[in-house]
Amino acid sequence: MGCFGFLKMMMFVFNGVIFLAGAGVLGVGIWVKVDGASFTKLLDTVSPDLSQVVNVGYLCIAVGLVLLVMGFLGCCGAMKESKCMLLLFFIIVLLIFVAQVAGAVVVLVFSSLADVIVAQVGNVAKDSLEKDFGKQADITTVWNTTMEQLECCGFNNYTDFDNSPFKNYTKHYPSQCCKKTEPCTEAEAKTSQIAGCYNAILNFLKDNSKILGAVALGIGGLEIAAMVVSMVLYCQIDSK
């Protein structure tokens, strides 16, 4: 087996794993949206923490589709020696890589722009609390899970719930906003001073920055390797 054949085989194996992973993630996403109750019950028997996967069903579907397409193009492009498929694979990986680099640059260099983006995200988060918390089951579950796991309250603090359907109906705040048992009154929430989830997320990122950085570098390295191999195969097809 020559160098070209070895690269073809590596491309096939690597993208075969991506294809199977995409199919699995897509299947989980569809299962979650079609029959979330049974899926949650199954995860609860394994680990209660895993049940929060139910909250990202649409994200699983989107990620699964992208991985599925990437794996298909990489496998078939390598085995069929299709320049079109290899080029499409290269473009998709390149777009993902550029998006990751652009995001890193925004966060590390353009701190003022990052602050604007965070502020916009905060406005969207607060709007979702005021309009949907206690009204939309999916949004309520996502926020409850987030607050329980990170031990936080709202995006900034308990006042984010002031005009929410939950507060208007129960006249109380979510139990996560108080250190004592329910009902969580305004006085108790103010006394408890539970931090908002924004600060909790920042602290989590700071505590795990080295791990996240290593993972990001690993993913970036794999993406660069995939692009290099796909271009080598692309250029070698005509020279065979």
Side-chain angles (χ1 to χ4, degrees):
M1 180 186 294
C3 181
F4 183 79
F6 175 76
L7 290 178
K8 279 179 60 177
M9 184 58 64
M10 291 300 296
M11 191 76 169
F12 177 80
V13 172
F14 176 74
N15 286 283
V17 173
I18 291 179
F19 182 85
L20 293 176
V25 174
L26 178 62
V28 169
I30 294 174
W31 185 7
V32 165
K33 302 317 296 183
V34 172
D35 190 14
S38 64
F39 188 78
T40 303
K41 185 177 180 181
L42 175 64
L43 290 180
D44 281 337
T45 61
V46 179
S47 173
D49 293 339
L50 292 177
S51 61
Q52 52 190 306
V53 174
V54 176
N55 303 326
V56 289
Y58 289 117
L59 179 61
C60 288
I61 293 174
V63 172
L65 285 173
V66 172
L67 293 177
L68 209 62
V69 172
M70 283 180 56
F72 174 78
L73 291 174
C75 285
C76 292
M79 290 296 101
K80 298 292 184 180
E81 297 183 7
S82 170
K83 296 185 70 174
C84 180
M85 287 185 174
L86 288 173
L87 184 59
L88 285 174
F89 174 83
F90 176 84
I91 291 173
I92 292 175
V93 177
L94 178 62
L95 290 175
I96 295 174
F97 181 76
V98 169
Q100 291 173 341
V101 172
V105 169
V106 168
V107 172
L108 297 176
V109 179
F110 301 105
S111 58
S112 59
L113 179 58
D115 292 338
V116 172
I117 294 175
V118 169
Q120 291 296 326
V121 171
N123 291 333
V124 172
K126 287 185 285 186
D127 286 343
S128 73
L129 288 173
E130 291 182 354
K131 295 178 181 178
D132 300 320
F133 189 85
K135 182 179 180 181
Q136 297 290 337
D138 290 345
I139 299 296
T140 304
T141 302
V142 168
W143 273 107
N144 279 332
T145 302
T146 302
M147 291 189 293
E148 289 172 3
Q149 294 297 319
L150 298 179
E151 297 181 354
C152 56
C153 170
F155 185 78
N156 294 312
N157 52 47
Y158 73 95
T159 59
D160 293 337
F161 296 97
D162 282 347
N163 298 315
S164 67
F166 179 87
K167 174 65 164 53
N168 292 334
Y169 180 75
T170 65
K171 308 303 180 185
H172 298 124
Y173 292 89
S175 58
Q176 297 90 339
C177 296
C178 292
K179 294 181 180 179
K180 296 182 179 179
T181 57
E182 297 184 33
C184 181
T185 62
E186 182 174 2
E188 179 61 30
K190 186 175 182 179
T191 302
S192 298
Q193 294 184 336
I194 304 296
C197 293
Y198 171 64
N199 290 327
I201 292 173
L202 286 183
N203 291 332
F204 174 82
L205 294 176
K206 290 178 181 178
D207 294 339
N208 298 275
S209 58
K210 292 183 179 179
I211 297 175
L212 294 173
V215 171
L217 287 175
I219 293 174
L222 287 175
E223 290 169 344
I224 292 174
M227 288 189 288
V228 170
V229 172
S230 64
M231 274 295 97
V232 170
L233 293 177
Y234 178 89
C235 295
Q236 289 292 321
I237 288 175
D238 288 336
S239 62
K240 285 184 62 181

